[in-house]
Amino acid sequence: MGSEKSVRRVKALVAGNWKMNGLKESKREIRRLAKKLDTGGKPKCDVLICPPATLIGLLREEAKGTGIAIGGQDCHAKASGAHTGDIAAAMLRDAGADYVIVGHSERRTDHHETDEMVKAKAEAAWEADLVAIICVGETGDERKAGETLAVVGRQVTGSVPEGAMPKNMIIAYEPVWAIGTGLTPTAEDVAVAHGHIRSLLTERFPETGKAFRILYGGSVKPGNAAELMAVPNVNGALVGGASLTADDFYGIISAAYL
Ligand code: PEP
């Protein structure tokens, strides 16, 4: 009971991942979201938007004084150098980011990122004073083979660096088969996966394991957000498609008013 309570007290984070979407005009969604947050009452969760890197500076300006934080979607593991097309964590920080997503399944698939690479990116994020949101999650085939917990456990163990603390690292559990598909695991399945991640964190970081935020991601919408965020050890959401419009994203943020 005591431990359940302390897990529950972790402040939720609702984070939007805009992926490769958004132009300068998208700043109006920030304005619209800020208005909703202003009139709807102070959210019980932290709110973050991770736009494409080209928009970080602009959205940071737009979000000033609104409580909406801005983050990046990926960073290179190195601080600088000959890596055409890549972006360093310090550049994200310099542009106005406070967080960065690393190890998203689209990066793991499209760019063949390994746990070792994700771990190095999380360390690079810390060097630049960014909070690293480390994504993990099983594919549909792995789920069908009954390997969900083994895969997620291996990713958490391999991707989370030794220096992880609740203030510098967040886990996002995102079943790959649920991303952008409209499918979601049952609340029971989410509870099992998040419970497993929580126990790995508490085993490895006995002092702080209960205080890490573990977000659920994968087809979160205004209509299912309350149920998903009420699951034990779910401390918020990482949202793709439904974060692109202020209306939907606010609907999800409101569900964290539990
Ligand atoms: C994501 O890509 O992180 C994600 C959760 O996407 P969606 O919400 O669209 O499933």
Side-chain angles (χ1 to χ4, degrees):
M1 187 63 194
S3 64
E4 177 75 357
K5 265 190 173 168
S6 59
V7 169
R8 277 278 171 229
R9 274 201 296 270
V10 176
K11 190 175 186 192
L13 169 70
V14 174
N17 172 14
W18 280 12
K19 310 191 188 195
M20 200 169 71
N21 297 291
L23 298 171
K24 279 191 262 183
E25 65 188 22
S26 312
K27 70 178 182 184
R28 70 169 176 233
E29 291 305 324
I30 299 283
R31 221 176 296 140
R32 293 182 61 227
L33 179 61
K35 203 162 166 202
K36 285 170 180 292
L37 290 170
D38 202 34
T39 51
K42 201 169 151 39
K44 290 225 171 83
C45 60
D46 290 329
V47 177
L48 166 68
I49 291 193
C50 300
T54 49
L55 293 179
I56 288 175
L58 183 72
L59 297 201
R60 173 66 180 235
E61 275 304 304
E62 200 64 31
K64 221 177 237 173
T66 66
I68 302 168
I70 304 296
Q73 299 177 9
D74 177 54
C75 66
H76 198 278
K78 296 259 164 60
S80 63
H83 303 287
T84 303
D86 277 315
I87 192 152
M91 295 170 183
L92 298 174
R93 178 85 215 169
D94 189 49
D98 288 310
Y99 296 75
V100 62
I101 298 168
V102 292
H104 190 281
S105 67
E106 287 150 19
R107 301 283 320 171
R108 289 180 186 261
T109 304
D110 297 354
H111 300 270
H112 312 290
E113 293 189 3
T114 61
D115 290 331
E116 206 176 322
M117 288 160 77
V118 174
K119 185 178 181 180
K121 286 177 179 223
E123 288 171 329
W126 298 345
E127 279 297 311
D129 205 18
L130 296 174
V131 178
I133 302 177
I134 299 179
C135 300
V136 298
E138 80 288 359
T139 64
D141 284 347
E142 289 164 340
R143 173 185 159 83
K144 279 187 210 121
E147 293 168 358
T148 298
L149 297 187
V151 169
V152 167
R154 194 184 64 230
Q155 291 176 331
V156 169
T157 304
S159 307
V160 173
E162 213 37 64
M165 290 179 276
K167 66 175 187 203
N168 68 14
M169 200 268 311
I170 294 167
I171 296 280
Y173 168 59
E174 300 205 300
V176 180
W177 54 271
I179 295 177
T181 59
L183 303 171
T184 50
T186 62
E188 289 73 27
D189 287 345
V190 174
V192 170
H194 279 240
H196 184 56
I197 295 168
R198 177 72 66 202
S199 44
L200 290 171
L201 293 173
T202 48
E203 265 165 40
R204 190 158 157 205
F205 307 103
E207 300 292 314
T208 55
K210 284 182 188 153
F212 284 95
R213 294 199 269 205
I214 307 174
L215 313 183
Y216 168 77
S219 295
V220 179
K221 310 277 179 230
N224 61 18
E227 187 191 359
L228 289 164
M229 283 198 275
V231 172
N233 288 305
V234 174
N235 313 114
L238 180 55
V239 185
S243 70
L244 292 172
T245 62
D247 283 344
D248 281 349
F249 198 45
Y250 182 73
I252 294 167
I253 292 165
S254 305
Y257 276 65
L258 295 168

